[in-house]
Amino acid sequence: GPLRVDDAPIAATPIAVLRATMRDGCIGETRSALAARALSRVACTTEEREALERIADDEARHAQLAFDAVAWIEDTFGDPIRDELGRLAIDSRG
């Protein structure tokens, strides 16, 4: 049936979506892909290695989707998104 979103705690502004996509998708999924790939190299069994490689590939696809979404958000919403991306880059340098 239909998904009720009227009482969901989601901030759906383009900048909020950008931030969540960067944090959860670009960064989180990339970290997960790298961790699974590293673990696959020290796996104890073939089955474990193959499962971790599948997980790494899947997480890498999720990360790519997030990067593609960020590009779409930037193309669609323009300067405010580019400004926020610049702020995020500065913030990440500490």
Side-chain angles (χ1 to χ4, degrees):
L3 176 63
R4 289 195 38 171
V5 295
D6 31 319
D7 51 333
I10 299 171
T13 66
I15 288 179
V17 172
L18 171 75
R19 288 177 183 159
T21 303
M22 292 289 295
R23 181 189 64 241
D24 300 336
C26 299
I27 296 168
E29 298 288 348
T30 298
R31 288 179 70 185
S32 295
L34 293 170
R37 187 75 63 208
L39 289 171
S40 75
R41 293 186 186 111
V42 296
C44 295
T45 67
T46 300
E47 293 82 13
E48 185 180 65
R49 186 186 73 250
E50 290 172 353
L52 287 163
E53 288 173 353
R54 284 192 306 274
I55 291 168
D57 291 345
D58 198 38
E59 297 299 297
R61 281 190 298 276
H62 297 164
Q64 185 59 59
L65 179 59
F67 281 102
D68 292 345
V70 166
W72 178 85
I73 293 167
E74 181 184 6
D75 288 346
T76 302
F77 296 100
D79 288 336
I81 297 300
R82 281 187 278 284
D83 293 344
E84 183 64 18
L85 286 169
R87 280 190 291 278
L88 290 171
I90 291 168
D91 289 347
S92 70
R93 288 185 237 159

